[in-house]
Each structure stands twice: as C-alpha cells, then as structure tokens.
Amino acid sequence: MDQRNISRGIALKMIYTDGYKIYTTEDPAVQAAIDSAFDNPNMFYTEWDGTMIQSSMVVFEHSTGAVRGLIGGVGPKEGALTLNRATQSHRQPGSCMKPFGAYGPAMEKGLLNCGSGIDDNQFTMGNWTPHNWYGSFYGFVTVRDAISDSMNIPAAKANLLVGDEDYCWNFAYNCGLTSLSENDKSAASLGLGGVTNGFTPMMMANAYGTIANGGYWIKPKLYTTVVDRNGNIVLDNSAVDGKQVMKDSTAYMLSSCLQSVVTTPVLGTAYGAVSIQNGSIPCAGKTGNTNDDKDRWFCGFTKYYTIACWTGYDQPVPINRGYPYDSTKLFNSVMNMICEGKEPAEIMPQPSSVRSVALCRDSGKVPTDACNADPRGSRVLTDLCAIDAIPTETCTVHEFVNICNVTNKLASSSCSNTSRKSCLVRSAPSQGQYPSDWGYTKPTETCSGNHSGSSASPGNPRVTIYRNGVAQ
C-alpha cells in the first residue's frame, strides 16, 4: 500500500479482482508442522469450563529474513481477517527481554562476558525493590548462570551497569523490538520486561533471530513478489533489508548463554523440556513469564530457524500452571519436526573476536590464590570473553584474612588459635534477607581475644541464610 500509495480497501479489492499472484515465503512443510502441533489438544491447558488457553507462533528463517510459517491462534479459524496474534497481539515479554535490555548492551560495551560475576543480592533503587522468581538470592553468580535460571536481580544490575538508558533502549529497538515506548527506559522495563506496549511474536522472533544471525538484523518478510495477471512484477520484495546491529562477539556470547538455558541441569529453565533431534542439533532459547503469570513465552533458535511462541489468554488472567510452559512444549514439538533430516550443526561458528579465558566465577576478574582457596573449592572457571574486553584487573571479591577459630571473627593480636582463610568481600544487604553464599563472607567483627577453647561453633546465629527460598 505504501509503495503504490493506495488505501487498504483498494489494495484488497485489487488482490481479489485483478488476478494478482502473491509469492509468499511460507514453507508448506514448516506450516504443516505448526498446524500439527497446534491441532494437538494435549499441548494446551484447558480450564474446568472447557476454555482453552490461546497461543501464537512465528517460525523465522533468520539467515534470509523469510517467515516460513506462523499461526495466529488456537482452534478453528472462524472467518477471514480475524485476529492474528502472531502479528497483531502485543504482549509483555517478561524475561525474554533480558538479552536485549540488559546483558546484550552490557556485553556490547565490554562490561560483561559469559563468566562475569554479578551479586544476586537484594537491593533497592528509589521505590523499586526487584525480586527473584524463586524468592531468595544466590549471591555471586555468573552471567551464564543468571541467564540460565532467569534471575531478575542480576539482569537489573546488568542494565544499570551500562549506565546509559538510551544505549540499552536503542540496542533492543535495533534488534527489532520496535514497539518500545520512550517510557521504557528503566531497568524494570529493559532489564525485566515490564514494557508499555509489549511485543508481537513476530517482533520477538526477529529479535532472537538477530542473535542467531551473528548480530545481523534482517527485516522479516512474508512475500517475495506480487505479479499481475500478465506476469508483470507489481511488487518486488526479494531483496534482503538488513544491517549489523551488534558485534559478532556479543551475539556469540548471548547464544552460548542461551544454550545453557536448555542444557544446564537444575538451573536451566528449559532443561529437560527442549531437546532437538535428541540433542544432536544445538538449540538456544529463553523462557519468559510476567510477574502476574499472564503471559508465557519461549523464544529460541537452532542454526536453521528461530521460533517465538506465546501462550496466554486474550483477556489477560493468571495462568497459574507449572512447568513446562505450553509455549516451551510447542517450541520443542515444532522445532523437532522442522529440523528432522537436518545436519547436526553449531548455531554459529565461534568468531575470532571471542576466546575462552580463566576467570574468578564470583568477580569475573583475573583469579588469584584466594579464588583457588575458597572453602567451597576453587572458584576459577573458563568461559567466553570478547577479546577487546578480557579482564585485566585481579579479583577484588576474594581476600585472605586471619580468622579466630574460637569465635569465627577476624583474629586480633590476642588470638592464638587462628586460620588463614579465603573470604568474600562485600557489603551486607540493606534489608534483612541474606544470599545463600553469605556464610563465606568476611566477618565484620574483630575478636576481642577474651576467650577460651579450641574450636568455633559453626555459623553465625544472627544471620539467616536462604537457599531456594527456605531459611536454613
């Protein structure tokens, strides 16, 4: 309509009466796989009154920009030009926003890598106190672990670390999330997905496809050409409209972390729910859920396709069902069908801009002897870094201190029974809930030396440690 400068009504009339042929990008085999999954009632929650949850999906070939299949809803189509939820319904993305509004921008600026440490620890900024879905705090975690378990505190901190809300906003927008509002520049919006307008599955497929395509964004297309009854080309949409919107190093590190969502036991929120061709075809993805559980997503990709799938109700109400999400099951079913017979292949080759580096998993910096001597075992890991952002500063989270073995406080000159221990150095949270690794933190009190005995009582009774939301 824009190219021909005509109205929608006139365009529809010309399509129906002028003998036009539209050559779409649909792959019949892909569309058949989508239809098969969505025709299976076992894929969906059904309420006591028979009401079935709604869903939509887009299958995007990220290497070409072609939309190979989509579906706009569950159940029989009841008319022409009805609501297509895949392209028309904007819904909150939840944690599916984190790669674009938090970790991606921080990686792009060289502030974070896969092994960077972030303190999953309670904090308040103004009137906002974010919480984790699991109701507790792990303490120091890596970016990879934070993405795998969809942790909210590290995502918010990653967004704030960038220190430039416009930068984060533009990063997400350039990946295809074009319904972002000027009001969506806070860490709550960009880091945790509480955006004003929401996104369609088409937008989410486009954004995740940009990661899968090495950071090269391509505008999705539903058709290639339109010809008239004489075979003359009326519209030519065959050219690729794309641009590089993030470094290949950022795309590769995000892809690697998103693979951990699928492959990491216990932590991975899609572990056990997504496996493509019995694990022979690598897959990356992200679960997404809103605070009130009104929207559930799974967005992910293989080398061959990107899929975005949403489930929820047209009139948003809490879903309140357990794992795995319907969206995850649908993704797994469709991706398996459309990848059948495909060669096992990595999502993308590792670019020369990325290499593996030894890091302290708590600080994300160059490890020291204190990192190796952590009482839990060595905290040194090897993970991916962009070569232009490899840390050079040594770890400041671990420190050797002398501990009085009788009181578990910092040893004074009067203490004769002491041990040299590696401890974590951090401030106490401003509120009362401590992270699960708090027991390894450097004591704040110094022993007076007025004691007797040969060993300390374990722990600190004044500190409540939470693991998986349960006080220990």
Side-chain angles (χ1 to χ4, degrees), residues 23 57 63 72 78 157 188 204 236 239 248 253 295 316-317 350 369 397 432 436 446:
Y23 291 86
M57 175 184 284
S63 60
E78 298 178 350
K157 289 184 176 181
M204 295 301 289
D236 186 350
D248 60 356
M253 289 191 293
D295 299 280
V317 295
Q350 180 170 328
D369 290 344
V397 165
S436 61
T446 301

Side-chain angles (χ1 to χ4, degrees), residues 133 138 148-149 263-271 468:
W133 65 268
Y138 286 116
S148 295
D149 202 21
T263 61
T264 304
V266 183
L267 278 182
T269 55
Y271 177 75
N468 297 322

Side-chain angles (χ1 to χ4, degrees), residues 13 30 85 97 100 102 189 233 238 242 249-250 254 264 284 286 305 337 381-382 386 395 406 419 422 459 461:
K13 182 179 179 181
V30 170
R85 296 169 187 84
M97 185 68 188
F100 307 101
S189 295
I233 295 178
S238 57
S249 57
T250 300
L254 284 174
T264 304
K286 185 74 189 72
Y305 301 104
M337 284 189 279
L381 57 70
T382 299
C395 175
V406 178
S419 298
S422 172

Side-chain angles (χ1 to χ4, degrees), residues 350-368:
Q350 180 170 328
S352 60
S353 57
V354 174
R355 78 178 192 188
S356 295
V357 176
L359 303 167
C360 169
R361 68 173 297 116
D362 296 313
S363 68
K365 297 178 181 179
V366 177
T368 65

Side-chain angles (χ1 to χ4, degrees), residues 1 3 11 39 92 105 121 133 149 166-167 177 208 212 223 249 279 283 290 338 345 368 456 459 461:
M1 294 183 293
Q3 293 183 38
D39 285 342
Q92 296 296 314
N121 199 351
W133 65 268
D149 202 21
D166 288 330
Y167 185 91
L177 301 178
Y208 274 83
Y223 73 95
S249 57
C283 179
T290 51
I338 63 180
T368 65

Side-chain angles (χ1 to χ4, degrees), residues 306-319:
T306 296
I307 295 178
C309 183
W310 165 85
T311 53
Y313 294 94
D314 289 333
Q315 297 299 319
V317 295
I319 299 170

